[in-house]
Amino acid sequence: MIFLAKIQVQNFVSRACELATRLAFSCLLCTPVIAIAQSTDLFPRPAELEPAINFWVKVYTEVDTQNGFLHDSVNLSVIYTRVSNVRRDLESTRNRIRDDLQALATGKRDNLTRSQRETLASWPADVSNQTLRTAASNVRFQLGQSDRFLAGLQRSGAYRSHINEVIREKNLPIELGVLPHVESSFNPGAYSSASAAGMWQFTRATGQRFMRIDHIVDERMDPYIAAAAAMSLLEYNYSVLGTWPLALTAYNHGAAGIARAVRQTGTTDIEKIVGNYRGRAFGFASRNFYAQFLAVIQVENEARRHFGDIRLNAAPNFREVRTDAFIDAEVFAASVGISLEQLRADNPALRPAVWQGNKRIPQGFPIKVRSEAVAPGNLLAMVPADFKFAVQTPDVAYVVERGDSLSVIARRFNTSVARLVSLNQLASSNRIQIGQRLLLPQDNTGVSMLAANPSQALLDDGKYTVRRGDTVSLIAARYGVTEQALLGINGIQDRNRIYPGQSLILPGFAASDQQLVAINATSIPAPPTVVEFADEVNELAPVPLVPAETSTELVAAGSEISTPSTVEVAAEAPVQLALNELNEALLPPAAVLPDNQELDTPVTLEEQEAIAIDPVLDVAQSNEQLTAALEADPSDYTVASNNSIEIQASETLGHYADWSGVLAWDIRRLNNLAYRDPVIIGERLTLDFSRVNIAEFELRRREFHSTLQGEFFSNYRIQDVEHYRVKQGDNIGRIARNRYSTPVWLLRQYNPELDFNRIQINQEIIFPLLEQVN
């Protein structure tokens, strides 16, 4: 390829040999396992959890992944037997134990079979028949983990130094560094059935609070970036819940779920919550998460006794540079003299679109290269200027129409359902919506395939298909035309805005009135489809979230009324600008802060519209999905037994009227509110559910907050927190807006116990520090 002529040629064989020699030597110098001194004040070991802790120690040290334990799922001191991880043997043994328990539950204690005696011996001598009857339904299999734990312990050497540094910077307990043992066995490429990803097992909704997660970059997959995000999440959980056992359990179950458990049980004692809370989603994994964490600390401290002499993997020596432009991955790798495969292995946050050439490495991305694999000097200077772009490769997208399914779309554009799901990070391959925008792979979407050489790229009709590494200047020079003529005939105003697969008309080779397209219309059956070419220049400049203090009932004086707009670039040539202006006069009165605190939560047009319930899912399933989407939000969105709710930020009487199907005036009368009386955040309001049932009301309420928070965290990331002490004359709403650019709903999440009616001088308030997403 032509661009290779401009790139310094490196001796890859020599570099590979040198790298292998250094790695072989480094493994002899690895740091041995270092014991962790556990703080019982911060991480207590209640007696009630000892059986569970001991159980997990056995799982991590006595049984490998070829075997496991059949045990009681509630009382973990009851282990019936060790069994191989072969389905036939496992189910046969499980059924035998169930039969034994059912027989013993009748009171039978004489003439027992050998199996029944062994099953009974697993329980205390005074076990009741009712306990045994219940136990027959609680026989659970736990896969062994000893080989996986050892492998994770060895892998941890590459990351623990960095993790500990992050922990020290945040002044958090050093014990938190063992958490990846529980989550992934320190496997950076781990995925879970619940769509959690990476070594730290972030879900998309929670991860977006702290990291970039999209079709170009998924920072969950970078164990170093995700380590900082994990500590930020734990720091947040602790600020919300107040104890480390709860904060750790919330890492698995979500701060919202643990806050709900605290409300329902009336305690913050982890052993009481584990023993008594029966939340729908609070299953075996959540109940045992803290016990697993304590077991991991114990096993690490006793690692030599369990596993012998252990040597940890050496930490790689990276050079990290932030790219100064959008650069093709293959170009960057060849420029600095490393293989594309090695660059990909060291930068797992970059998604397949980058490695397949459909997207460039983003500008400002902290790219890692092995120090021993590259020559000294400025790596970015090694990349020729002609291959540095000011913009990202545009998206090729399809807008879903009625009658579409992923399989239909995949066939239409000659791709696979799995690839569409991966590229668009879809939670399910069975759910797409009319109007949804799906990204398409750019190598097989009906776009003319990239040619193997320049002559093949020029078609008979005088069009040229842009290839990876092409620039306007290179194409112009290749075919003897001027850059100005090439740009003019194709209607391109910015010379940097060309992308692989784009069809260009060459001046002098064909008539100038030919249509410029990138998707072959003949490959798209009727009805006609809408195809978008979204320019990431616009995606990189998201519409700011403007404070919307629109209520005529705001108690704060002098509130400014803002009219946010939603802007979307729908096509590239010509660009169609869709501008939806919000009519402030139609907005319902907003919930306000007491004591003249100002409401600064943004309100968008979409948030004012009723969201239709998916007919495929029932209300309970939808509520469960939305609860998962709001797993980091500890706010109470439920309806109490007396039909009252706690008023949350961003909510209005108009919302409550819409969600419950009654008039706002009826809600006022029910609560003895005069027309000018505001609804105040943190207070309770009684509602009428005669027209809409409580489950559907809660669904609509959660949909509103899920949309609000999802849009916010698509534009902003939490970088850190700051502890602010209240001074005389402070206005918390104004400080949140002007100093921290923080909406009130996010401020309340970090300070759930904050009573805006009783803010005192010198009181400490936690403010998240936000960064606008590029």
Side-chain angles (χ1 to χ4, degrees), residues 684-702:
R684 299 199 72 83
L685 194 72
T686 301
L687 298 178
D688 176 3
F689 296 104
S690 60
R691 297 191 179 184
V692 171
N693 63 47
I694 290 175
E696 188 166 335
F697 172 87
E698 291 179 345
L699 171 64
R700 294 174 177 179
R701 194 183 191 193
R702 288 193 177 100

Side-chain angles (χ1 to χ4, degrees), residues 55 210 273 319 362 432 441 525 606 638 680 701:
F55 171 81
F210 308 101
I273 290 175
R319 288 182 61 185
I432 56 175
E606 292 83 348
T638 61
I680 298 177
R701 194 183 191 193

Side-chain angles (χ1 to χ4, degrees), residues 8-123:
Q8 298 178 356
V9 178
Q10 304 292 334
N11 188 335
F12 294 106
V13 175
S14 175
R15 286 283 172 82
C17 293
E18 178 184 358
L19 176 61
T21 302
R22 291 189 181 187
L23 288 177
F25 179 70
S26 67
C27 71
L28 302 176
L29 303 177
C30 299
T31 305
V33 176
I34 299 175
I36 296 175
Q38 180 187 342
S39 170
T40 54
D41 292 335
L42 299 178
F43 304 97
R45 288 181 60 134
E48 295 87 342
L49 296 186
E50 285 296 340
I53 298 170
N54 294 333
F55 171 81
W56 289 108
V57 169
K58 291 178 180 291
V59 169
Y60 289 136
T61 61
E62 296 182 6
V63 188
D64 62 20
T65 51
Q66 300 303 311
N67 303 277
F69 292 127
L70 282 169
H71 65 96
D72 186 78
S73 62
V74 177
N75 187 345
L76 295 190
S77 65
V78 177
I79 299 177
Y80 297 112
T81 187
R82 173 174 172 166
V83 64
S84 67
N85 184 24
V86 177
R87 187 171 185 82
R88 182 178 57 187
D89 296 343
L90 170 60
E91 292 306 318
S92 173
T93 306
R94 192 204 306 262
N95 291 334
R96 174 178 57 77
I97 293 172
R98 285 172 176 164
D99 292 341
D100 290 345
L101 289 167
Q102 290 170 351
L104 294 168
T106 65
K108 180 182 180 181
R109 295 295 183 270
D110 298 322
N111 300 320
L112 301 179
T113 65
R114 178 180 177 182
S115 176
Q116 290 170 344
R117 289 195 300 272
E118 291 174 349
T119 299
L120 183 61
S122 302
W123 288 90

Side-chain angles (χ1 to χ4, degrees), residues 397-417:
Y398 171 76
V399 177
V400 177
E401 296 185 337
R402 184 176 299 278
D404 278 338
S405 67
L406 281 182
S407 58
V408 168
I409 296 170
R411 286 194 300 271
R412 181 177 297 160
F413 294 108
N414 191 30
T415 186
S416 66
V417 170

Side-chain angles (χ1 to χ4, degrees), residues 661-712:
V662 301
L663 297 176
W665 178 245
D666 291 332
I667 298 176
R668 287 190 178 278
R669 286 192 301 175
L670 186 61
N671 292 273
N672 296 317
L673 291 174
Y675 177 70
R676 290 292 180 181
D677 290 344
V679 290
I680 298 177
I681 297 171
E683 293 189 353
R684 299 199 72 83
L685 194 72
T686 301
L687 298 178
D688 176 3
F689 296 104
S690 60
R691 297 191 179 184
V692 171
N693 63 47
I694 290 175
E696 188 166 335
F697 172 87
E698 291 179 345
L699 171 64
R700 294 174 177 179
R701 194 183 191 193
R702 288 193 177 100
E703 282 177 328
F704 168 77
H705 287 282
S706 176
T707 301
L708 173 68
Q709 295 180 33
E711 290 178 352
F712 182 84

Side-chain angles (χ1 to χ4, degrees), residues 166-201:
V166 171
I167 291 174
R168 283 191 293 268
E169 287 177 355
K170 287 185 170 291
N171 197 28
L172 299 176
I174 198 67
E175 291 93 333
L176 299 176
V178 307
L179 189 58
H181 276 304
V182 182
E183 289 290 344
S184 66
S185 298
F186 281 89
N187 178 8
Y191 281 92
S192 79
S193 58
S195 300
M199 192 170 85
W200 295 92
Q201 289 292 280

Side-chain angles (χ1 to χ4, degrees), residues 469-664:
D470 274 340
T471 65
V472 169
S473 59
L474 284 176
I475 298 171
R478 185 180 300 149
Y479 292 101
V481 299
T482 66
E483 292 185 32
Q484 291 75 15
L486 183 63
L487 295 172
I489 197 172
N490 290 282
I492 299 175
Q493 296 182 350
D494 187 342
R495 65 192 304 275
N496 292 312
R497 290 177 60 189
I498 63 171
Y499 51 90
Q502 184 178 4
S503 180
L504 298 180
I505 300 169
L506 296 177
F509 287 80
S512 62
D513 59 350
Q514 297 186 40
Q515 185 181 11
L516 179 63
V517 297
I519 290 200
N520 186 352
T522 61
S523 69
I524 307 176
T529 56
V530 179
V531 179
E532 299 180 3
F533 291 83
D535 181 3
E536 186 156 320
V537 171
N538 292 281
E539 295 178 359
L540 294 180
V543 179
L545 296 175
V546 183
E549 299 161 336
T550 58
S551 172
T552 57
E553 298 185 352
L554 286 173
V555 296
S559 299
E560 296 181 1
I561 297 177
S562 302
T563 306
S565 303
T566 301
V567 180
E568 180 182 355
V569 175
E572 179 166 317
V575 174
Q576 298 175 350
L577 195 61
L579 182 61
N580 297 319
E581 294 190 354
L582 185 63
N583 185 347
E584 183 273 329
L586 298 179
L587 292 179
V592 300
L593 298 172
D595 258 4
N596 290 329
Q597 302 296 345
E598 299 172 48
L599 177 67
D600 63 335
T601 304
V603 182
T604 65
L605 178 63
E606 292 83 348
E607 293 160 5
Q608 307 306 317
E609 299 174 346
I611 303 173
I613 300 175
D614 189 337
V616 178
L617 299 173
D618 61 28
V619 173
Q621 288 175 312
S622 298
N623 253 322
E624 188 172 342
Q625 289 182 353
L626 289 169
T627 299
L630 294 168
E631 64 182 0
D633 180 359
S635 306
D636 184 3
Y637 297 122
T638 61
V639 177
S641 58
N642 63 354
N643 286 352
S644 72
I645 61 168
E646 179 184 345
I647 298 167
Q648 304 294 344
S650 305
E651 297 179 344
T652 71
L653 276 179
H655 288 129
Y656 302 142
D658 181 40
W659 300 336
S660 61
V662 301
L663 297 176

